[in-house]
Amino acid sequence: MNVTATAISLNVADVAASAAWAQRHLGFTEAMAADGFCSLEHPEAGFNLIYLRTGLASFKPASAAGPADGLLVVFTVDDIDAEYARLRDAGVEIVTPIETEPWGERYFQMTDPNGVVFQLVQWVEPTDPQYAG
């Protein structure tokens, strides 16, 4: 299999709100848009972030046309503390403040206007010796 591009497609009620949020806070830019659809790109993300309006008649399979739920969109960053401060100061809804797991995952979680959960992560030295490698 030769993969030529990658995208994640999320169904949301308000495409414009989520797309604007990702552009304003995460640095994505619009690659393509139409009624009920927006594809965003980022030079460092490695995939396009696509928003589709829930209930579109063209969505296949119909059984998966409901809202995006039960998932995390995760980005690894170089300076988690700076990103946390920047996004908090910008009024982004932080749903999980910064935490550091014993295996070295330092992260926080935020939501976009449609409730999609985004997680930013920085990998640090594990605090538990069983995870040191």
Side-chain angles (χ1 to χ4, degrees):
M1 175 172 69
N2 180 28
V3 176
T4 61
T6 304
I8 182 170
S9 184
L10 305 171
N11 301 337
V12 297
D14 187 343
V15 169
S18 282
W21 183 91
Q23 290 175 78
R24 181 172 54 254
H25 298 298
L26 303 179
F28 279 84
T29 58
E30 185 178 293
M32 180 184 341
D35 181 39
F37 164 84
C38 186
S39 177
L40 303 174
E41 59 190 5
H42 190 288
E44 298 167 346
F47 67 91
N48 278 31
L49 179 60
I50 297 173
Y51 290 104
L52 294 173
R53 187 176 61 238
T54 51
L56 286 177
S58 61
F59 193 88
K60 307 285 189 284
S63 61
D69 191 29
L71 59 88
L72 299 173
V73 180
V74 181
F75 297 106
T76 301
V77 299
D78 291 329
D79 189 341
I80 195 77
D81 295 292
E83 293 298 337
Y84 181 79
R86 179 183 69 82
L87 292 160
R88 182 197 61 221
D89 292 349
V92 170
E93 182 180 357
I94 306 293
V95 294
T96 304
I98 287 183
E99 295 183 8
T100 304
E101 299 291 359
W103 52 86
E105 180 182 15
R106 185 161 168 78
Y107 72 96
F108 70 93
Q109 297 172 330
M110 57 197 160
T111 58
D112 81 354
N114 285 286
V116 175
V117 179
F118 286 80
Q119 177 172 304
L120 297 188
V121 173
Q122 180 179 6
W123 292 96
V124 298
E125 196 64 35
T127 57
D128 186 327
Q130 82 176 16
Y131 299 107

